[in-house]
Amino acid sequence: MTHATPGRRSVSRRSFITALVAGSTLMLVARPAASADPAGTDTVLTALPADSNLVILEVRADGSVHFGLPRAEIGQGLTTSVAMLVAEEMDISLEKVVASLSRGRQELIGNHYTGGSNSIRSLWGPVRSIAATARARLLRAAADRWNADVGTLTIVDGVVTAPDGRSAHFGELAAAAADPSLRFDAPEPKSDEDLMVVGQPTGRLDARAIVTGRLTYTLDLDVPDAMPVVVRRPPTINGTVASVDEAALRAMPGVIDVAVVSTGVAIMARTFGYALAAKDAAVVTWNAGTIDDQSTGSIQDRLRRSTPAFTGFGGVGRPELPGETKLNVDFDFAPVSHAAMETNSAVADVRADRADVWASMQLPNYAGQKIALTLGIPLNRVTTHVMNGGGSFGRRLYLDGPLEAAVISRAMGRPVRLMWSRVDDMRHGRARPAVHTKFDAVLARGKVISWEQRVAAVCTDFDGGFGDLVTDALAPSPLISQTLFHSTRDPYAFTDGSIRTLVEVPVEMPTGSWRSVFSGTVRTAAEVMVDRIADVLDTDPLELRIGAVASGRHRDVLRTLAAEGNWGADLGPGRAQGVGFHAEFRSSAGYLVEIDAQDPRKPRVTKAVIVVDVGRVVNPRSLEAQMIGCLMDGISTTLRAGLHYERGLPLEGSYSQFHYARQRDSPPDVRVVIMTATAETPGGAGELGVPAAAAAVANAYARATDTTPTSFPILFDVDFDPFPK
């Protein structure tokens, strides 16, 4: 139970909340930026079209509260966390809050973007403000109805009650609360001490629907006349069709239509089974791809040759310091598939003058632009419908599925339900690029005198994702790479300033942002390097980190990690502990793992303690899930998971071949320790843990096996028979 804040301050021209009358409902919209009242008076803002605003919140006649979210739900639990913000500010149960995903809205430009661990950070203020305003309007409407003082009214689970016992639920007050002439006290979101929902461990609102199969994903849609489509893809990356026996394909059982597109031969059939059978039987002659002469070894060799030489303090010609040690270490990282549970899929209905596309999209407004440009349809006639996504990890920033479905629908002249097979998704999908990085460190007098890192990486394609939000108008794509690369810094004050450089090497293969982008390789290598430095200095690696971080928050995380993880325990031969730390997105995380590598070819992480500081936490349970997900990514990419390229195509084609960690590889003992709020607002979490987790596993393996692994994944054998091309 909470009470309204007393006072008569009306909503001012500085407010960014707008009320709209919509029948018997109250609808509010939160704008991305403050808007001015043209009259300059203390009246409620003039109603604006709902589509010009960031978040749309509606109180309906039945008392439920609905909000449209301009973000993607791709398994991270965002809809639940935002629903918690709404429930908190409106004093209503979570069961009465209904979230939906907004379609692509061009007017939001970059504000309809899911990525960069930014969703909660960007929505924290607007969602709380709009919900607080809705609550204030409803209280004012009730007070006017009963001629009561607002300060005497209470709200319990969406029911407003007066001191004399009169009550009304939100739905009964919605129409009056939507009156544009209503004057009400300007609200402030709740203070920290009044929070009752935010910060409480909460199960996902969609969990039951997910596990029972009732949650609607893209291919669950029943779009009229949309039929199953698959694509026969080339035997090497970016190959194109030279010729195909269309007559034979059309004669196969169940086949409805065939179309040659830039990505291969599209086949429509009555069922996906018929379509897949026809795909396998298709007789196609192919033109060469773009990397037919490239394999894993040649790509890594090219990266090594492209890595810049060191020129800083540790460079050639510098006078040697007394007792100095120079430490040079090179690291290689293989490409890694996104491997989302749901493969690329999309439904498209393209007509002569319009297009509708349904898919999980992290950039639906950019998807609309790209589809409009490709098809020659006016942008305002393209609608991108955002669907729930079965995982992403950066994959759904890219429009391969939605754009391909739209092109096929145009070519066939009918709606399509496009599905990529698992093999296609892994072999022709995007991947975290291969990386080579090397370090030069000078150690003397028991400390680090110089610290330099050079990185050469296959170009990350930002043109299909975040980069287009900026590069179309401002800068070439390489600037995005450099900006993202330099936005993550080592958290240690080893020297006055470490030197880091990135060179991107153009290789014509599909790449993309993979969870944590550059940090997943560059910072992982740096954390392994810290352990190497500690060895040379004969210093405890965790103590070295504690002494080197510049932030008190970081020190608290590391000290808590040491205490909670029982750092320094003797686990016996072939077993060891390892640590990793990373700070980004106004947050930090430390991972301490224990590994059993008595058989170095069959290592298993047996225990993990994770300490995380993200400032204000909305849903601890969701944060725990994110941190554990990062742990599994770290275990996988450090020990076994990667892609082998051979003559223009990855060998891996399924989960049985791409060795992401299985249940038997996951630690039976995992604990996540969440630091008490160190900031009033939340930091980012979705990508935070990957570098720390990967480094902790690498460092533990090195200590357990008395080796110095520098190529990841460590156990990277082709222990399977590849599928035919």
Side-chain angles (χ1 to χ4, degrees):
M1 179 183 297
T2 60
H3 295 273
T5 303
R8 295 294 302 168
R9 185 165 56 91
S10 298
V11 172
S12 73
R13 61 189 292 270
R14 297 181 62 82
S15 172
F16 60 89
I17 305 297
T18 302
L20 296 95
V21 179
S24 61
T25 70
L26 165 65
M27 182 179 289
L28 297 174
V29 289
R31 305 194 64 172
S35 55
D37 179 348
T41 61
D42 278 345
T43 58
V44 174
L45 292 175
T46 304
L48 298 173
D51 280 356
S52 68
N53 299 275
L54 178 61
V55 180
I56 304 170
L57 184 147
E58 182 181 4
V59 180
R60 296 188 178 176
D62 63 359
S64 61
V65 178
H66 296 243
F67 68 90
L69 187 62
R71 297 291 185 269
E73 175 58 78
I74 42 184
Q76 77 277 45
L78 179 63
T79 49
T80 297
S81 295
V82 176
M84 291 173 68
L85 300 180
V86 173
E88 179 73 82
E89 296 299 334
M90 295 189 69
D91 292 314
I92 191 170
S93 65
L94 273 171
E95 291 72 21
K96 294 180 180 177
V97 182
V98 181
S100 61
L101 304 178
S102 300
R103 59 175 174 77
R105 294 161 52 198
Q106 294 299 324
E107 68 281 354
L108 291 181
I109 313 176
N111 229 326
H112 202 155
Y113 162 65
T114 308
S117 299
N118 191 50
S119 290
I120 288 295
R121 287 188 288 159
S122 63
L123 295 171
W124 168 258
V127 170
R128 295 173 73 224
S129 293
I130 194 175
T133 298
R135 182 181 185 279
R137 280 184 159 280
L138 292 159
L139 281 170
R140 183 72 259 167
D144 290 350
R145 174 182 292 189
W146 301 325
N147 195 27
D149 188 277
V150 168
T152 66
L153 305 180
T154 59
I155 301 176
V156 177
D157 194 16
V159 177
V160 183
T161 303
D164 60 7
R166 286 177 292 179
S167 65
H169 65 68
F170 282 172
E172 296 172 298
L173 299 168
D179 186 347
S181 66
L182 183 76
R183 297 180 65 83
F184 60 98
D185 298 338
E188 294 290 341
K190 290 182 180 179
S191 58
D192 292 350
E193 57 269 21
D194 291 331
L195 296 177
M196 301 292 290
V197 179
V198 169
Q200 297 302 309
T202 304
R204 288 183 54 159
L205 298 178
D206 54 3
R208 184 177 296 275
I210 292 173
V211 300
T212 58
R214 290 188 291 108
L215 191 68
T216 301
Y217 294 94
T218 301
L219 291 182
D220 297 323
L221 288 172
D222 186 16
V223 174
D225 301 322
M227 300 301 291
V229 170
V230 298
V231 175
R232 172 68 179 269
R233 301 185 188 278
T236 57
I237 287 173
N238 295 328
T240 56
V241 176
S243 64
V244 57
D245 188 344
E246 285 196 34
L249 276 176
R250 293 179 185 278
M252 289 196 67
V255 171
I256 297 172
D257 203 353
V258 176
V260 175
V261 293
S262 63
T263 50
V265 181
I267 302 166
M268 175 182 283
R270 292 202 301 270
T271 67
F272 278 116
Y274 281 129
L276 290 168
K279 176 179 79 77
D280 292 340
V283 178
V284 187
T285 303
W286 300 96
N287 297 314
T290 53
I291 61 166
D292 288 11
D293 59 344
Q294 296 289 304
S295 296
T296 296
S298 63
I299 293 171
Q300 287 294 161
D301 287 343
R302 185 175 174 188
L303 294 178
R304 293 188 191 103
R305 294 194 306 270
S306 302
T307 308
F310 294 110
T311 57
F313 185 80
V316 177
R318 171 188 60 79
E320 187 171 309
L321 297 171
E324 83 166 37
T325 299
K326 193 168 184 179
L327 186 59
N328 298 107
V329 186
D330 288 24
F331 297 92
D332 289 301
F333 293 85
V336 177
S337 171
H338 291 84
M341 185 66 72
E342 179 192 27
T343 63
N344 253 352
S345 56
V347 177
D349 183 1
V350 176
R351 307 297 172 93
D353 61 343
R354 66 170 177 81
D356 284 87
V357 179
W358 293 262
S360 175
M361 293 173 276
Q362 293 174 246
L363 275 169
N365 47 4
Y366 176 69
Q369 296 170 26
K370 193 78 171 181
I371 290 167
L373 183 64
T374 301
L375 301 181
I377 296 175
L379 180 57
N380 63 1
R381 300 293 291 168
V382 177
T383 304
T384 49
H385 307 268
V386 181
M387 301 298 299
N388 290 296
S392 175
F393 321 108
R395 180 68 182 93
R396 302 185 200 284
L397 283 166
Y398 300 87
L399 317 174
D400 307 309
L403 181 59
E404 186 178 57
V407 168
I408 295 170
S409 180
R410 162 63 64 83
M412 292 184 171
R414 65 185 83 195
V416 304
R417 298 175 65 217
L418 172 69
M419 179 183 73
W420 286 39
S421 71
R422 174 64 60 195
V423 176
D424 289 345
D425 200 56
M426 200 157 284
R427 284 182 161 178
H428 291 275
R430 296 174 183 272
R432 183 178 81 178
V435 170
H436 177 75
T437 181
K438 59 185 179 182
F439 287 88
D440 178 272
V442 177
L443 317 177
R445 306 185 188 98
K447 62 181 181 179
V448 180
I449 304 300
S450 172
W451 167 279
E452 295 187 36
Q453 183 178 16
R454 299 287 182 265
V455 180
V458 172
C459 289
T460 301
D461 179 7
F462 292 111
D463 289 340
F466 168 79
D468 285 281
L469 297 176
V470 180
T471 58
D472 284 351
L474 300 179
S477 182
L479 182 58
I480 294 298
S481 298
Q482 295 293 335
T483 299
L484 290 175
F485 173 76
H486 289 291
S487 67
T488 303
R489 295 183 172 87
D490 296 317
Y492 308 113
F494 287 134
T495 63
D496 291 338
S498 62
I499 301 173
R500 301 169 67 228
T501 60
L502 167 70
V503 170
E504 287 200 294
V505 178
V507 180
E508 292 186 65
M509 57 195 299
T511 62
S513 301
W514 194 95
R515 194 176 193 178
S516 82
V517 197
F518 292 112
S519 298
T521 53
V522 174
R523 279 288 299 127
T524 297
E527 285 296 300
V528 176
M529 186 68 177
V530 172
D531 266 38
R532 296 291 301 277
I533 290 171
D535 286 342
V536 174
L537 296 179
D538 195 22
T539 300
D540 180 273
L542 187 50
E543 290 299 325
L544 177 62
R545 288 172 169 84
I546 292 172
V549 292
S551 164
R553 286 177 62 183
H554 299 348
R555 280 192 293 275
D556 289 343
V557 167
L558 288 167
R559 286 171 177 154
T560 303
L561 186 67
E564 297 290 338
N566 191 26
W567 172 249
D570 184 0
L571 305 181
R575 302 170 185 263
Q577 296 177 318
V579 295
F581 179 76
H582 183 59
E584 198 170 12
F585 315 115
R586 302 202 305 265
S587 304
S588 62
Y591 281 66
L592 189 158
V593 305
E594 296 182 1
I595 199 167
D596 180 348
Q598 295 179 83
D599 182 346
R601 301 295 304 173
K602 297 179 180 179
R604 183 184 182 184
V605 176
T606 57
K607 180 179 178 180
V609 175
I610 305 164
V611 179
V612 58
D613 178 358
V614 296
R616 177 66 56 191
V617 179
V618 176
N619 186 357
R621 189 166 294 171
S622 177
L623 178 58
E624 290 175 358
Q626 292 277 27
M627 293 299 101
I628 294 171
C630 290
L631 171 65
M632 298 311 296
D633 281 340
I635 292 172
S636 303
T637 58
T638 299
L639 295 180
R640 297 185 184 280
L643 294 177
H644 295 86
Y645 285 75
E646 184 175 285
R647 295 191 299 275
L649 194 72
L651 297 180
E652 286 77 8
S654 72
Y655 284 134
S656 65
Q657 300 170 349
F658 176 73
H659 294 320
Y660 193 87
R662 307 297 199 271
Q663 187 67 41
R664 64 177 179 269
D665 304 309
S666 62
D669 183 358
V670 178
R671 189 155 58 93
V672 180
V673 179
I674 299 173
M675 300 293 284
T676 302
T678 54
E680 294 182 359
T681 57
E687 300 164 281
L688 175 68
V690 172
V697 175
N699 288 330
Y701 184 90
R703 289 160 66 93
T705 59
D706 194 25
T707 60
T708 54
T710 56
S711 184
F712 303 101
I714 297 169
L715 305 170
F716 195 34
D717 300 325
V718 180
D719 55 0
F720 55 87
D721 293 324
F723 295 117
K725 289 188 174 183

